[in-house]
Amino acid sequence: MKELVRKNILNLTPYSSARDEFKGEASVFLDANENSEGSPYPIHYNRYPDPRQKKVKLLLSKIKQVKPEQIFLGNGSDEAIDLLFRIFCEPGKDNVIVLPPTYGMYAVQAHIHGTEIRQVPLNSDFQPIPAEILKAADEHTKLLFLCSPNNPSGNLFDTNLIEELLLKFKGIVVIDEAYIDFADASSWSKSIESYPNLVVLQTLSKAWGLAGLRVGMAMASAETIQYFNKVKYPYNIGNATLSIVEEVLSDVAAFNQILNELKTNKKILEKEMDTMEIFKKVYPSDANFFLVKVDNAQETYDFLAKNGVIVRNRTKEMHCENCLRITVGTAEENHKLVEVLNAFSMHKA
Ligand SMILES: *Cc1c(COP(=O)(O)O)cnc(C)c1O
């Protein structure tokens, strides 16, 4: 593990915040140059937030069955992706492997950090090809991004393939599970004790319905998480966000109820889409969206947009010619989608 970390990060003395230095009980805090009078806003946000987010991590640790010290919390999982580059990738020297078609942020972050991107396409069933991935890697390959369920294809990667990569890939294996709560599969976070090179990303943006708050997480060995803590901004998540997240995470039953509703809507929509001739293919989905193939993705996209329904045109992505990615909406939104698509078919006939 340690030999994968950049030298400057290994040797870094992290910023020591006031909230880090004093550990104990006190009633007078004159250590952080806050405004002790408060602010014009009625709720008191004049104090800096907990840099370690202990309360939220404790709640998450129960839900995710990992230890609090095995969790990093960030401004979306996008922050975790950024930190992975900061921790492991020496600009101009190291490289990372991504498996197109996949989430665009891995490549964007690689560009930002001056890190070479090696693309090893998924096969036509959207599964990784370990032999090709291992062939593309060298001693400077620090990160391998596996997105499972994958965006935009929607499928989980085969467990055996992931296991093979965890055993044979010499760098960090990042499994992005942004959509895992929609899938009938357990999280790879259960395996962070077995694989020191595994980092699992999850988010509150999708199944938890909190995309607007910006909270994501990385789960890994406590040793790896220590590097995240070293590099992150000390106060990366604000008090307002933390208190809302605490409230939401305290009611798992409410979460499950909304999730089940969404899963029901998804099943209904899938059944309906399977009967519609406009779709040449509806790919099976372990997420809350469908990749669908049509005759002409741009034309279909334009017609939908003109009628107020926005989907994502993925036709330029690998293996995605004339494909759209459609998020499962509310029952009402899905109904509207089907209605507009039917109107499009009539219009074409
Ligand atoms: C939506 C998504 C994310 C979420 O990013 P946040 O920054 O947590 O909102 C991460 N990975 C993938 C593959 C996604 O589709």
Side-chain angles (χ1 to χ4, degrees):
M1 241 309 295
K2 206 166 161 186
E3 54 272 24
L4 291 171
V5 177
R6 292 168 68 199
K7 293 278 171 298
N8 58 325
I9 303 300
L10 275 179
N11 299 330
L12 177 74
T13 307
Y15 177 75
S16 180
S17 69
R19 292 296 114 90
D20 269 333
E21 276 182 12
F22 176 78
K23 296 183 177 80
E25 297 290 320
S27 56
V28 181
F29 285 96
L30 304 176
D31 57 350
N33 299 345
E34 298 145 335
N35 185 338
S36 302
E37 293 291 343
S39 73
Y41 192 75
I43 301 173
H44 279 267
Y45 290 131
N46 57 327
R47 298 296 178 179
Y48 276 110
D50 173 11
R52 301 290 145 143
Q53 302 113 4
K54 284 189 245 10
K55 283 188 197 155
V56 168
K57 283 183 186 170
L58 209 58
L59 289 163
L60 273 175
S61 108
K62 291 196 183 106
I63 294 167
K64 304 291 177 189
Q65 299 290 308
V66 300
K67 297 184 186 120
E69 62 271 25
Q70 294 169 327
I71 303 173
F72 158 80
L73 286 182
N75 186 301
S77 38
D78 287 346
E79 183 182 351
I81 297 169
D82 179 35
L83 291 195
L84 282 165
F85 281 89
R86 292 180 191 226
I87 295 164
F88 294 107
C89 298
E90 202 57 48
K93 188 172 137 205
D94 289 332
N95 67 75
V96 301
I97 295 179
V98 302
L99 315 181
T102 195
Y103 187 47
M105 275 309 280
Y106 316 137
V108 171
Q109 285 296 342
H111 284 299
I112 291 171
H113 292 282
T115 300
E116 184 200 340
I117 304 161
R118 298 190 176 173
Q119 303 204 332
V120 182
L122 297 172
N123 71 18
S124 53
D125 291 326
F126 299 112
Q127 290 294 331
I129 309 170
E132 298 287 320
I133 293 166
L134 296 168
K135 210 164 67 188
D138 61 22
E139 74 269 29
H140 295 297
T141 310
K142 293 299 181 68
L143 307 173
L144 165 62
F145 286 97
L146 305 178
C147 187
S148 178
N150 186 44
N151 179 3
S153 53
N155 61 299
L156 283 162
F157 288 169
D158 193 282
T159 306
N160 295 325
L161 299 176
I162 294 185
E163 210 142 59
E164 182 178 351
L165 289 164
L166 279 167
L167 289 170
K168 294 184 183 164
F169 179 71
K170 299 275 193 287
I172 301 288
V173 177
V174 183
I175 306 182
D176 185 342
E177 295 186 332
Y179 300 98
I180 193 67
D181 292 318
F182 300 111
D184 292 320
S186 68
S187 166
W188 283 92
S189 59
K190 311 259 180 308
S191 304
I192 55 178
E193 307 264 12
S194 322
Y195 300 104
N197 62 333
L198 170 61
V199 174
V200 176
L201 304 181
Q202 289 192 14
T203 180
L204 301 186
S205 296
K206 305 286 158 62
W208 284 91
L210 298 173
L213 281 186
R214 311 304 304 127
V215 180
M217 70 200 93
M219 292 173 280
S221 72
E223 187 193 347
T224 305
I225 293 302
Q226 273 182 5
Y227 293 112
F228 278 83
N229 291 336
K230 223 175 162 183
V231 174
K232 78 180 188 77
Y233 289 172
Y235 303 116
N236 61 331
I237 301 183
N239 280 328
T241 298
L242 289 175
S243 61
I244 295 168
V245 169
E246 279 162 34
E247 202 176 314
V248 173
L249 293 180
S250 303
D251 193 351
V252 176
F255 163 75
N256 283 324
Q257 194 186 335
I258 293 176
L259 187 59
N260 284 335
E261 195 140 316
L262 201 126
K263 284 181 176 172
T264 304
N265 289 343
K266 177 185 161 186
K267 268 190 211 133
I268 295 168
L269 178 63
E270 183 172 27
K271 239 187 205 161
E272 183 126 37
M273 290 200 307
D274 279 339
T275 69
M276 293 167 73
E277 268 174 36
I278 184 171
F279 296 124
K280 301 298 139 217
K281 181 154 191 168
V282 177
Y283 288 88
S285 168
D286 298 301
N288 67 332
F289 57 83
F290 288 99
L291 189 71
V292 298
K293 200 182 263 304
V294 295
D295 277 331
N296 185 326
Q298 190 59 48
E299 200 187 351
T300 312
Y301 175 90
D302 290 340
F303 190 88
L304 281 166
K306 211 173 63 194
N307 288 278
V309 178
I310 311 303
V311 297
R312 204 83 197 265
N313 186 355
R314 299 281 80 176
T315 190
K316 293 203 175 84
E317 304 289 315
M318 175 87 56
H319 306 313
C320 293
E321 204 188 351
N322 283 314
C323 285
L324 301 172
R325 193 194 68 194
I326 303 178
T327 308
V328 177
T330 62
E332 206 173 322
E333 289 168 336
N334 298 337
H335 181 73
K336 166 90 179 173
L337 167 80
V338 170
E339 205 174 63
V340 175
L341 286 170
N342 284 336
F344 180 65
S345 300
M346 301 267 272
H347 161 89
K348 297 285 289 173

